[in-house]
């Protein structure tokens, strides 16, 4: 009887630990927060709203002179849909190196291998499935260096 009780407690603990998984987030900011709260959190981190690049009904663009990227947040009715970082780097070599560093960092952080449908010299894609969202690292070097990281929450359907 004692073994059955211990087994039942172990199973309850296991189930409780499985359910307490952290929600999909962007650099520690949960995707289920309202857009205004997300923007306020980014402002507290030193970012400023780029009103010339933002669309008040669908997107907001944030920039920080101390960072090498700009953040675009897409939303609908105060609900975050996607967040994209666009990196400002000077050469194709620097974007290739940054793509590899970001990929390796997410691989360690998420403890998962990415799906890499494209792995050419100047066009690479790495998709990480986090369960309730997708993180995609995209390298598209054509005439200018282009590196983006896109966080997209899976639909609640």
């Amino acid at each position: 009887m004692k073994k059955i009780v211990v087994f039942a407690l172990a199973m309850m603990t296991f189930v409780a630990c499985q359910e307490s998984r952290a929600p999909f987030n962007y650099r520690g900011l949960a995707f289920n927060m309202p857009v205004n709260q997300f923007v306020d959190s980014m402002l507290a981190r030193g970012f400023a709203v780029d009103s010339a690049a933002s669309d008040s009904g669908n997107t907001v663009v944030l920039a920080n002179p101390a960072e090498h990227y700009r953040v675009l947040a897409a939303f609908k009715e105060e609900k975050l849909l996607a967040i994209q970082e666009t990196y400002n780097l000077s050469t194709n070599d620097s974007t290739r190196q940054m793509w590899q560093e970001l990929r390796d960092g997410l691989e360690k952080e998420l403890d998962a291998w990415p799906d890499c449908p494209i792995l050419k010299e100047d066009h690479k894609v790495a998709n990480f499935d986090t369960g309730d969202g997708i993180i995609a690292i995209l390298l598209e070097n054509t005439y200018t260096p282009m590196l983006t990281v896109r966080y997209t929450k899976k639909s609640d359907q």
Side-chain angles (χ1 to χ4, degrees), residues 29-45:
L29 300 175
F31 253 72
N32 58 3
M33 69 173 45
V35 173
N36 290 336
Q37 186 180 358
F38 174 79
V39 171
D40 290 344
S41 297
M42 292 299 286
L43 294 175
R45 293 179 178 195

Side-chain angles (χ1 to χ4, degrees), residues 99 102-103 106 124-126 128 135-139 147-149:
W99 184 90
L102 288 167
R103 180 190 178 275
L106 282 170
K124 299 179 184 189
V125 177
F128 290 89
I135 302 173
I137 307 171
L138 306 131
L139 173 70
L147 178 67
T148 58
V149 180

Side-chain angles (χ1 to χ4, degrees), residues 63-97:
N64 181 344
E67 300 291 345
H68 294 291
Y69 60 90
R70 295 169 57 88
V71 177
L72 179 140
F75 60 92
K76 183 175 183 179
E77 298 172 4
E78 286 299 310
K79 197 172 190 179
L80 285 170
L81 301 175
I83 297 173
Q84 179 174 297
E85 297 174 347
T86 304
Y87 284 81
N88 301 321
L89 300 165
S90 58
T91 66
N92 287 348
D93 289 338
S94 61
T95 57
R96 287 184 205 108
Q97 179 181 350

